[in-house]
Amino acid sequence: MSHLFKTTLGKGAVAVLIGLSLTACNALSRISQIGEEPKLSKIENPAPPQPISLPMPAPQVAERQPNSLWRPGSRAFLKDQRADQIGDLLTVVIQIADEAKVSNTTERTRASAEGAGLSSFLGYETELGRVFNDNLNPASLVDADSSSSSKGVGSVDRNESIKLRVAALVTQVMPNGNLIISGRQEVRVNYEVRELLVSGMIRPEDITSTNTISYDQIAEARIAYGGRGQLSDVQQPRYGQQLYDIIFPF
């Protein structure tokens, strides 16, 4: 038992030390950036591990036709302008207006009572008073009752509204023709960065004639909208408080 306690305590101490070291590293990094505006992320390949900065379509050899004003494969003049190849862009329209209301009530009540007596027992019932005391009543030797009740009430009332537009890049074309898209948008205002991320799988048939697609037509959609900077830091609990909430058992 002592060895198990020491092992558990040792693991807990290691976890605390790791948490403190990570906190210290992050704190030193934040201290070094005091007075500076939040840095924007570099434009990187959203579909690693390709060794290129951004996904690009396969190179195409331009074919020139004599006595023709238009080059084959040109991105204009009767050509479908919707995204269909790696590296093409399209606009994702995010217009979320979700509302959910759930209410549950559970109530349970139980009551029971038991009574027993021994008013006569072969004439020896009077001897019970000598064993116990003179106040013993053989007619009411046992009298017990119990009751229990519980009541639970739960409710959920959620209302979310997001309306955004973001350009996404086609990063992969699946064998069945579906497209994998990924988009990121960062806006910095003073010392606060607002970041919008969107990714998922779409069907080329769902892309509109204006080269846009709705968020609810994206399979495996991952949409994130948040911020980072001084205001976001103030809204978060301090690192010590977060660590305390994790390791405190009560």
Side-chain angles (χ1 to χ4, degrees):
M1 183 67 181
S2 176
H3 177 69
L4 179 61
F5 176 76
K6 291 181 179 179
T7 303
T8 305
L9 183 60
K11 292 182 179 179
V14 171
V16 171
L17 291 176
I18 293 176
L20 292 177
S21 62
L22 293 177
T23 302
C25 293
N26 191 23
L28 292 176
S29 176
R30 294 179 60 190
I31 291 174
S32 65
Q33 298 175 359
I34 292 178
E36 298 180 1
E37 67 278 3
K39 296 180 180 180
L40 298 178
S41 301
K42 296 181 180 179
I43 299 178
E44 298 177 350
N45 180 10
Q50 300 179 11
I52 54 177
S53 58
L54 286 175
M56 297 296 293
Q60 298 180 356
V61 179
E63 298 181 359
R64 304 282 182 178
Q65 299 293 337
N67 301 327
S68 176
L69 299 176
W70 301 99
R71 176 172 58 87
S74 175
R75 302 178 66 90
F77 193 68
L78 302 182
K79 183 180 183 298
D80 192 352
Q81 298 297 303
R82 295 179 295 180
D84 61 352
Q85 296 181 4
I86 296 177
D88 289 349
L89 300 177
L90 75 160
T91 301
V92 179
V93 180
I94 304 173
Q95 192 168 358
I96 301 176
D98 291 344
E99 184 177 355
K101 291 185 178 180
V102 179
S103 179
N104 294 320
T105 301
T106 302
E107 186 173 357
R108 184 185 65 178
T109 302
R110 182 179 64 182
S112 61
E114 299 289 341
L118 189 64
S119 58
S120 65
F121 183 68
L122 300 178
Y124 290 100
E125 61 276 2
T126 57
E127 300 296 330
L128 294 176
R130 299 178 181 179
V131 177
F132 296 99
N133 54 54
D134 296 335
N135 296 325
L136 177 67
N137 184 6
S140 58
L141 291 178
V142 178
D143 188 7
D145 62 86
S146 64
S147 62
S148 64
S149 63
S150 63
K151 183 177 182 180
V153 178
S155 62
V156 175
D157 189 356
R158 187 186 67 185
N159 192 351
E160 299 176 348
S161 179
I162 301 177
K163 187 175 182 180
L164 298 167
R165 295 169 66 94
V166 60
L169 182 71
V170 178
T171 61
Q172 187 178 356
V173 179
M174 304 297 290
N176 60 354
N178 291 341
L179 308 177
I180 304 298
I181 63 172
S182 178
R184 170 181 291 178
Q185 182 184 88
E186 293 185 0
V187 179
R188 186 178 67 198
V189 179
N190 295 333
Y191 290 90
E192 189 74 12
V193 174
R194 289 299 174 185
E195 187 177 41
L196 172 61
L197 302 176
V198 60
S199 62
M201 180 187 301
I202 64 172
R203 297 191 313 165
E205 296 83 359
D206 295 332
I207 304 176
T208 65
S209 58
T210 57
N211 201 34
T212 62
I213 190 166
S214 177
Y215 79 98
D216 55 0
Q217 294 176 313
I218 303 177
E220 296 296 328
R222 300 294 184 268
I223 301 174
Y225 179 66
R228 48 189 171 89
Q230 294 183 354
L231 297 180
S232 299
D233 290 343
V234 173
Q235 294 175 347
Q236 295 293 327
R238 307 309 299 168
Y239 299 116
Q241 182 179 352
Q242 296 183 27
L243 180 62
Y244 179 82
D245 291 339
I246 293 174
I247 64 176
F248 191 64
F250 303 103

